[in-house]
Amino acid sequence: MKLLTIELKKILPYKTFWIVIGLYFLFLALGIIMAEYIVNAMVDDVNNRLPIPLPHAVLFNFPDIWQNLTFFASIRFVLIFPAIIVIILITNEFTNKTVRQNIVNGMSRSEFILSKLQVVLMLALVISGILMIVMLILGLVHSDSQSLSMIFTRFSFVIGFFIQMLTYLCYAFFIAFILRNTGLAIALFTLYTIIIEPVIYFFLRAPFMWENKVYTYLPVNAVIRIVEYPSIPALKKLMNFQLQEEVSLLSCSIPMIYAVVMIAIVYLTFNRRDL
Amino acid sequence: METILSIHQLSKRYGRIQAVNQLSMEVIKGQVFGILGPNGSGKTTTLGMVLDLIRPDSGSFTWFGEEPSKESRKRIGAVIETPNFFPYLSARRNLEIVAKIKDFDYSDIDRVLHTTGLHDRRNDKFKTFSFGMKQRLALASALLNKPDILILDEPTNGLDPQGIAQIRRLILQVAREGITIILASHLLDEVQKICTHVAVLSKGNLLFSGAVNEVLAVSDCIELASSDNEILKAAIEEHPAFKSVTESDGILLAVFSEEVRPGTISEYLNQRKITLSHLVERKRTLEQHFLELLKDTQP
Ligand SMILES: Nc1ncnc2c1ncn2[C@@H]1O[C@H](COP(=O)(O)OP(=O)(O)OP(=O)(O)O)[C@@H](O)[C@H]1O
Ligand SMILES: [Mg+2]
């Protein structure tokens, strides 16, 4: 608790922290509003060619809302914001050299790592918590009695989202400790998430390559796949098959293994390197 | 005699450079211990190692007679090179974080802010401080809850003369309270003014260490000449404070272990019926002395 108190003392008065958190929720809200608009446009388009029109998609009904909102909250472009916060909070300690002061003042190196892991855990919990409350409120507003009876049917997606957030923030924690430089770490992390990995993914998947499933094990892809598809009943009816019903334990375990390995590497290197 | 810090055969190499070489030394409670050496002699590296910032290649050290740990570091107040704080936090907030890490409550914060003259600016952000104020905040954080030992690395670097005088006064005041101090400096004069003990480093090697008044004893030289330098030389060698004498170009250069006035020396020689044709007092500055000490050890 002492370590977390110290971290909060560093974080709460930090303007940049609030700005990036604000941006995250702003992008998320925009994404969700646009998503509903786009899905409905698709349904309208399909309806032009169908004798019996499909109903408009409702993203915010229980139990679909759990899956839909966690899906939009975990697409690459949105997920990157909390990761940037973690990178900034950690690399700041190196660029301001406050890590040295912390150690000199009587923190052990392990405690320093632990305090940053607590920040990661706290951020993942708080963001998942806020999202859960938003989903609950939106769901209640949009629900009839029938959907209310299924209120917790797809709740596993909230847990899945928490695992996504936690593991992805652990990746950010790793890159920040290894590179120690704010600009470099953010640039590389963003580049990897948004460009490098999708390119690798594309080549591994492409049919002209040998048959393989390697692409599903790429670190960021493994995180994204925990909540892989949204749940949109109208489209389900149209395509006549179900994309994803629940969060699987296997899909959670892959990024968690990555995260554990990364934390171990940080422990080993940070304890050996000069500060 | 309680040993505060004991260093045993500590070494650190950076590539081709041996930053610290087999260094051993002891700091005893109550000392104001100077680590003196020119730029790049390994002072900061040594302090970094004993504060767990830099991993030594070999060697060991103990704090307060125990294996070093985070608990021993909580009893140390240290300022290493530049002051390191969160730029967006106020002076007070920064000190609160320090206090929290050291398991202190906040009751001593106001006192150290007063001592370092920062109390009026306590709510201003660290990044708005001038360099001298940053330096003083670092000192304030080191003084929090009266540490058992205060470590200062070039504490007057970059300060104006007034700031330097202030900081030195503060250090002496802290020393008088019985707090042990380690002070790294490349300024001989500073060590001479403040320290009781000194270790002199050059290229990572310990040249010598001991009490300041022994190691850095100021010896005056006197130039002398007479019609017969042989007799003169013999007479000087019999002087109770005699240390050394060398001859060049018909002039003797005599060094004494304590201050000897030219007047008393000529009287001393007169008694021995020696008449001087040349008598000049040549004060050696401390810097010269220091530089000579360093030169002696070079191949
Ligand atoms: N991180 C580093 N990487 C490479 N070389 C280093 C590093 N830190 C110090 N050195 C080298 O080690 C030697 C000792 O450096 P150190 O900083 O300990 O000297 P110093 O006595 O504190 O000097 P100054 O009076 O300039 O502060 C120098 O030659 C320096 O170049
Ligand atoms: Mg130095």
Side-chain angles (χ1 to χ4, degrees), chain B residues 38-45 47 80-81 153-154 157 184-186:
Chain B
N39 294 136
S41 53
K43 305 181 293 289
T44 303
T45 307
L47 294 180
I80 299 299
E81 287 189 321
D153 188 5
E154 318 258 5
N157 227 358
S185 176
H186 61 272

Side-chain angles (χ1 to χ4, degrees), chain B residues 56-123:
Chain B
D57 295 334
S58 61
S60 62
F61 57 91
T62 57
W63 278 111
F64 314 107
E66 292 163 14
E67 286 300 302
S69 69
K70 62 177 173 143
E71 295 309 323
S72 54
R73 267 177 280 135
K74 287 177 185 168
R75 298 167 62 185
I76 303 169
V79 184
I80 299 299
E81 287 189 321
T82 50
N84 306 322
F85 292 100
F86 289 93
Y88 56 87
L89 292 181
S90 69
R92 215 197 128 79
R93 290 257 174 191
N94 270 302
L95 291 185
E96 284 176 10
I97 290 177
V98 176
K100 201 90 200 156
I101 293 174
K102 293 191 166 222
D103 298 318
F104 300 152
D105 58 22
Y106 301 158
S107 57
D108 201 37
I109 291 180
D110 278 321
R111 181 187 68 87
V112 295
L113 282 169
H114 275 299
T115 323
T116 49
L118 287 173
H119 199 258
D120 293 341
R121 300 289 300 267
R122 66 187 178 282
N123 292 323

Side-chain angles (χ1 to χ4, degrees), chain A residues 65-261:
Chain A
I65 185 170
W66 299 122
Q67 185 170 353
N68 288 331
L69 258 63
T70 52
F71 170 79
F72 288 114
S74 62
I75 54 180
R76 286 168 201 260
F77 293 97
V78 182
L79 209 52
I80 196 92
F81 285 96
I84 286 176
I85 293 177
V86 167
I87 291 177
I88 291 176
L89 290 178
I90 293 173
T91 52
N92 265 356
E93 299 268 8
F94 289 100
T95 47
N96 295 332
K97 292 192 176 172
T98 40
V99 54
R100 297 176 55 131
Q101 206 63 42
N102 284 177
I103 301 296
V104 165
N105 286 336
M107 243 193 212
S108 69
R109 292 185 185 219
S110 306
E111 276 179 333
F112 185 81
I113 295 174
L114 201 61
S115 71
K116 296 305 171 197
L117 280 176
Q118 288 182 4
V119 170
V120 163
L121 182 64
M122 181 194 68
L123 268 178
L125 275 174
V126 167
I127 291 176
S128 313
I130 292 177
L131 195 67
M132 189 183 81
I133 292 167
V134 169
M135 289 188 287
L136 206 57
I137 293 171
L138 275 179
L140 288 174
V141 169
H142 284 86
S143 288
D144 47 34
S145 55
Q146 191 217 347
S147 64
L148 269 182
S149 65
M150 297 189 287
I151 184 164
F152 288 121
T153 304
R154 287 176 188 235
F155 194 73
S156 69
F157 282 95
V158 179
I159 314 279
F161 176 76
F162 169 70
I163 302 285
Q164 285 187 307
M165 201 44 106
L166 186 66
T167 50
Y168 192 61
L169 294 187
C170 282
Y171 296 179
F173 158 94
F174 171 74
I175 208 82
F177 263 96
I178 297 298
L179 294 182
R180 298 183 171 192
N181 175 302
T182 314
L184 194 64
I186 291 179
L188 212 67
F189 196 76
T190 311
L191 206 67
Y192 180 79
T193 300
I194 293 178
I195 297 173
I196 299 178
E197 204 190 85
V199 167
I200 299 174
Y201 180 87
F202 174 78
F203 280 111
L204 287 177
R205 240 186 105 139
F208 51 83
M209 297 281 289
W210 72 100
E211 188 74 16
N212 71 80
K213 271 202 167 265
V214 178
Y215 61 89
T216 55
Y217 295 105
L218 293 171
V220 178
N221 192 50
V223 169
I224 304 287
R225 286 171 73 91
I226 295 179
V227 184
E228 200 171 8
Y229 301 104
S231 166
I232 297 157
L235 294 185
K236 217 184 296 172
K237 224 175 269 173
L238 183 73
M239 296 192 259
N240 211 13
F241 80 104
Q242 184 68 12
L243 286 170
Q244 189 183 12
E245 292 274 12
E246 59 187 8
V247 171
S248 83
L249 210 58
L250 177 71
S251 69
C252 288
S253 61
I254 297 166
M256 275 163 88
I257 290 170
Y258 273 116
V260 167
V261 169

Side-chain angles (χ1 to χ4, degrees), chain A residues 256-273:
Chain A
M256 275 163 88
I257 290 170
Y258 273 116
V260 167
V261 169
M262 288 180 188
I263 293 169
I265 292 174
V266 167
Y267 252 94
L268 289 178
T269 55
F270 187 69
N271 270 308
R272 288 200 186 135
R273 273 166 82 174

